[in-house]
């Protein structure tokens, strides 16, 4: 009986939601203009944003492949390992999770969890923490490179704000993991370590390839992973960003709606104006429209990046904003779209709510810290 009622209820709810969408946008823009704007905006995002992000992903993927192939990742792991226990209450092997997700994306952490030698470094309460740790650095290299690349468009150097954003994202990750650790310790109060075997004790695969062959294989395989990442973000960018853009901007012309790309009903600026004093106090935002970036980052950082060129073109993105958005974008990394699946894979589905709550606080903390750090640096 329940299953039958659910079958009837679901399509009704979907139709009601779709009708609300048509009423919300169509009543202001006109149905014809609404559909034209949707198509033109998605098309423009695909050509001018997605392919640029994909190009960045290919280059950063190639760099990541080189760093892994020639031992830089292992070296960084050894350097970071002594910091993991005091900062995150995690074993040194967890540093590999930071590096792999920074070079790729959130789900990369799951490939490590499949390695039994890696898992045996952890106590049971520590394993779910890898979800929040990995997500805090997802797409980090690509986001950093993309933001720095906007310097040419913005007309000023964004290197320092982006580096501040990276530092703040690290602080946000510590906040997120430490809060989550409070809940996992309670959930696994009576468990102990699985063992002391380190992933670094695994014998590396020997190869007879020359340095040149290894170099070419690394950059080509890494670049291929960048293409896959670029393709995977297309749905998020086109669907989420188009919707967010239409909630962010109003008509392109004083004469009214014409169906041009990036037109909309400007709900988010209205919401941002109501909350602007909070946004200004916490993050130092210069414009209420910037609220669109954190909201989009909840579901997809790749989609959030699509908003940046428009912010720059409109002259509303300042260096402080770049630092804050970099920190929030990296720390949140679209966690609402990945946390459930990742926690399920880690065997901790019952802690999903706690993980999302912890990461929400961590991302907000990252943004606040980025604003404070940039303020301190700019005073010098």
């Amino acid at each position: 009986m329940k299953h039958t009622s659910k079958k009837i209820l679901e399509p009704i709810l979907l139709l009601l939601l779709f009708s609300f969408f048509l009423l919300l946008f169509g009543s202001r823009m006109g149905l014809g203009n609404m559909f034209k704007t949707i198509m033109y905006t998605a098309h423009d995002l695909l050509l001018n944003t997605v392919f640029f992000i994909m190009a960045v992903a290919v280059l950063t993927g190639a760099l990541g492949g080189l760093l892994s192939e020639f031992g830089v990742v292992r070296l960084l792991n050894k350097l970071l390992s002594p910091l993991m226990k005091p900062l995150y209450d995690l074993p040194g092997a967890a540093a590999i999770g930071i590096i792999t997700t920074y070079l790729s994306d959130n789900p990369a952490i799951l490939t490590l969890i499949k390695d039994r030698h890696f898992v045996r470094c952890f106590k049971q309460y520590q394993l779910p923490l890898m979800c929040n740790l990995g997500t805090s650095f997802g797409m980090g290299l690509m986001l950093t490179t993309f933001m720095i690349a906007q310097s040419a468009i913005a007309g000023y150097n964004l290197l320092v704000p982006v580096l501040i954003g990276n530092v703040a994202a690290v602080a946000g990750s510590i906040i997120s993991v430490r809060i989550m650790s409070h809940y996992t310790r309670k959930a696994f109060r009576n468990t102990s370590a699985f063992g002391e075997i380190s992933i670094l004790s695994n014998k590396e695969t020997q190869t007879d390839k020359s340095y040149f062959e290894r170099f070419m294989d690394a950059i080509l395989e890494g670049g291929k992973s960048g293409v896959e990442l670029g393709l995977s973000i297309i749905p998020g960018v086109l669907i989420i960003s188009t919707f967010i853009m239409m909630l962010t901007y109003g008509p392109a012309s004083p004469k009214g709606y014409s169906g041009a790309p990036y037109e909309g009903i400007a709900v988010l600026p209205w919401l941002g104006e109501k909350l602007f004093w909070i946004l200004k106090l916490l993050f130092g935002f210069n414009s209420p429209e910037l609220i669109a970036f954190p909201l989009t980052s909840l579901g997809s950082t790749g989609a959030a990046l699509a908003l940046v060129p428009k912010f720059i073109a409109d002259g509303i993105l300042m260096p402080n904003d770049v630092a804050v958005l970099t920190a929030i974008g990296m720390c949140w990394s679209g966690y609402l779209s990945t946390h459930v699946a990742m926690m399920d894979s880690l065997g901790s589905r019952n802690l999903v709510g706690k993980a999302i709550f912890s990461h929400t606080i961590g991302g907000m903390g990252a943004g606040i810290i980025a604003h404070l750090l940039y303020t301190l640096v700019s005073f010098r």
Side-chain angles (χ1 to χ4, degrees), residues 16-89:
L16 288 173
L17 184 63
F18 188 66
S19 300
F20 174 75
F21 176 85
L22 291 177
L23 181 64
L24 181 66
F25 289 94
S27 61
R28 292 282 304 277
M29 302 175 65
L31 287 177
N33 289 331
M34 181 191 77
F35 284 113
K36 280 177 66 179
T37 294
I38 290 173
M39 300 307 171
Y40 283 135
T41 302
H43 181 254
D44 190 73
L45 287 171
L46 178 64
L47 294 181
N48 296 319
T49 301
V50 171
F51 288 144
F52 180 80
I53 293 174
M54 184 182 290
V56 172
V58 170
L59 296 176
T60 54
L63 175 61
L66 281 177
L67 295 178
S68 179
E69 176 64 28
F70 290 95
V72 178
V73 170
R74 292 190 298 276
L75 176 62
L76 290 174
N77 173 68
K78 289 181 179 179
L79 295 174
L80 290 173
S81 290
L83 299 174
M84 297 307 293
K85 183 65 178 177
L87 292 181
Y88 295 100
D89 188 25

Side-chain angles (χ1 to χ4, degrees), residues 11 46 62 90 167 170 174 203 222 264 301 314 329 359 368 379:
L46 178 64
L90 287 170
V167 172
V170 174
I174 295 171
K203 291 183 179 179
T301 295
D314 292 346
H359 213 63
I368 294 169
F379 272 139

Side-chain angles (χ1 to χ4, degrees), residues 180-196:
M180 185 61 184
S181 176
H182 170 74
Y183 296 113
T184 58
R185 279 180 176 275
K186 284 186 176 181
F188 301 102
R189 186 169 294 164
N190 300 318
T191 58
S192 59
F194 293 133
E196 299 299 330

Side-chain angles (χ1 to χ4, degrees), residues 81-156:
S81 290
L83 299 174
M84 297 307 293
K85 183 65 178 177
L87 292 181
Y88 295 100
D89 188 25
L90 287 170
I96 299 176
I98 293 176
I99 298 166
T100 53
T101 51
Y102 188 84
L103 296 176
S104 55
D105 201 359
N106 306 350
I109 206 74
L110 299 179
T111 60
L112 296 175
I113 301 302
K114 293 177 183 178
D115 189 315
R116 64 185 179 86
H117 296 293
F118 182 83
V119 170
R120 291 175 67 180
C121 299
F122 292 77
K123 296 179 181 179
Q124 193 168 359
Y125 81 88
Q126 293 173 325
L127 271 179
L129 303 181
M130 293 301 291
C131 175
N132 285 28
L133 179 70
T135 303
S136 299
F137 297 92
M139 293 178 67
L141 182 60
M142 193 188 83
L143 185 149
T144 299
T145 310
F146 178 87
M147 285 295 200
I148 294 174
Q150 303 307 304
S151 299
I153 304 173
Y156 45 83

Side-chain angles (χ1 to χ4, degrees), residues 305-355:
L305 292 179
L307 305 173
V308 174
K310 191 74 169 68
F311 289 157
I312 294 174
D314 292 346
I316 62 174
L317 193 68
M318 299 294 108
N320 173 79
D321 304 323
V322 172
V324 173
L325 298 186
T326 299
I328 294 176
M330 186 186 304
C331 195
W332 277 353
S333 299
Y335 71 102
L336 288 185
S337 61
T338 60
H339 250 48
V340 175
M342 290 174 70
M343 289 298 287
D344 189 39
S345 299
L346 289 166
S348 302
R349 187 187 301 175
N350 59 314
L351 294 173
V352 168
K354 302 290 193 302

